[in-house]
Amino acid sequence: MNFDRLKTYHSIASKEALTCMEIVSQALPLDQKDVLLDVGCGPGVLTILLSKRVGKVTAFDVSSEMIAEAKKNNQAENITYNIGDATKLTTYKEYSQAFEKVIAYYCLHWMKDFKAALQGIYQSLKPGGQCFLNMAQENPDIFDTLKALGSYTSPKWEHFMKGYKHAYYLFKGNANDFKEVLFDIGFKDVNCRLVVKKLLLTFDEAKAHYPNFMNQLRRFPEDKQKEYIEEAVKYVMDTGFKDDEGYKMTCSLIVAVARK
């Protein structure tokens, strides 16, 4: 996430959070007695909604900037914000068997060692506790688009992009393969399914939205960013994702609910 553009992203994410909350609540029963862990909370837009459905929420993210933004967005008495690395969850003894529910929404694909995060989620659950997870599946559409946006260069931009690498760690298998990963960790009552989301954006919408995920913009002088964004977005839209209606993309997500 490009923190410099977070305020632009927040208005989009707040609307998306309502849809996310509906998906979570349909898949995972939430109770006012639950103590919940929100893994990779980002700016806290989903955390706010979760806090209204459970007793207590611990929300953490590896980015201190994200936690600062989340705190600014909501200071409900039943939310505790912490800075933490999900891949090191097993080392946080205060989290061990501390939660009835754990949510990891749109965050696992940012982690190179996502299996370590899953092991930590398992350890943090109380016996019988449940988690809701989603994991982006490797596919030739939206996440390839994001990777292209995150690595786009040309001779005039090489100076700014030299040595930069923007990585997504997408799951290479299918829903059954992800289910086996969860079983191997120790989860039971595992339910995995593939959810396909279709998006349609105009060129102007793409220019407004996707720079939020272009972390390389921090390398560019402010007076060069607009030109670079225009060129990068045009590049990905001209490589096979565009038709008369706009910019079409498909996002494949593996959604899982599992019990300890």
Side-chain angles (χ1 to χ4, degrees):
M1 175 65 66
N2 182 355
F3 184 76
D4 296 335
R5 296 179 59 90
L6 187 56
K7 290 177 177 59
T8 302
Y9 174 74
H10 184 72
S11 61
I12 300 168
S14 295
K15 295 177 183 178
E16 178 69 13
L18 293 172
T19 301
C20 296
M21 188 65 230
E22 183 178 349
I23 293 170
V24 171
S25 60
Q26 287 177 355
L28 184 70
L30 298 175
D31 189 276
Q32 287 293 337
K33 296 179 181 179
D34 286 337
V35 179
L36 181 145
L37 179 64
D38 185 9
V39 177
C41 66
V45 289
L46 183 58
T47 310
I48 295 169
L49 300 178
L50 289 167
S51 70
K52 298 175 182 178
R53 300 288 298 274
V54 300
K56 294 181 181 179
V57 178
T58 295
F60 80 93
D61 197 282
V62 72
S63 167
S64 60
E65 295 170 323
M66 288 293 187
I67 291 298
E69 183 71 11
K71 286 181 177 179
K72 187 167 66 175
N73 290 333
N74 191 277
Q75 287 279 10
E77 292 183 358
N78 67 335
I79 302 177
T80 300
Y81 295 104
N82 291 320
I83 299 169
D85 183 344
T87 64
K88 297 178 181 178
L89 251 178
T90 56
T91 68
Y92 301 160
K93 301 305 180 186
E94 68 274 23
Y95 287 179
S96 181
Q97 298 192 47
F99 302 95
E100 281 87 14
K101 303 287 166 59
V102 177
I103 304 289
Y105 206 97
Y106 280 126
C107 64
L108 292 172
H109 56 263
W110 296 98
M111 305 173 196
K112 186 174 183 178
D113 192 1
F114 73 89
K115 290 184 181 179
L118 293 175
Q119 289 167 344
I121 288 170
Y122 181 84
Q123 181 173 298
S124 69
L125 282 167
K126 294 180 179 180
Q130 290 178 283
C131 64
F132 177 98
L133 317 164
N134 65 8
M135 181 74 184
Q137 184 187 46
E138 190 171 62
N139 68 66
D141 206 331
I142 185 170
F143 283 97
D144 277 2
T145 300
L146 292 177
K147 285 191 286 187
L149 284 168
S151 58
Y152 174 75
T153 190
S154 67
K156 66 180 175 181
W157 306 123
E158 285 179 358
H159 172 72
F160 303 107
M161 291 294 290
K162 186 177 181 180
Y164 179 77
K165 185 178 180 180
H166 192 64
Y168 295 92
Y169 304 100
L170 310 180
F171 190 69
K172 298 182 183 297
N174 57 31
N176 285 331
D177 296 325
F178 193 70
K179 187 175 184 178
E180 287 302 315
V181 171
L182 296 176
F183 275 135
D184 288 344
I185 288 171
F187 285 103
K188 58 185 180 181
D189 299 335
V190 179
N191 188 335
C192 287
R193 61 191 177 95
L194 183 67
V195 175
V196 179
K197 297 178 64 177
K198 295 184 181 295
L199 304 175
L200 177 66
L201 297 174
T202 66
F203 182 66
D204 286 341
E205 287 171 336
K207 284 195 301 180
H209 184 54
Y210 282 104
N212 294 300
F213 302 94
M214 296 167 67
N215 290 328
Q216 74 270 33
L217 288 177
R218 296 184 180 190
R219 292 172 160 236
F220 288 72
E222 191 171 343
D223 63 347
K224 298 288 186 183
Q225 291 183 11
K226 185 176 179 180
E227 181 185 359
Y228 176 79
I229 290 169
E230 183 95 13
E231 194 173 306
V233 173
K234 186 177 187 302
Y235 166 76
V236 297
M237 290 187 73
D238 286 344
T239 55
F241 298 105
K242 182 177 65 171
D243 65 15
D244 292 339
E245 295 181 73
Y247 183 43
K248 289 187 174 181
M249 295 169 291
T250 301
C251 175
S252 299
L253 292 167
I254 297 171
V255 175
V257 176
R259 185 185 302 275
K260 181 173 181 179

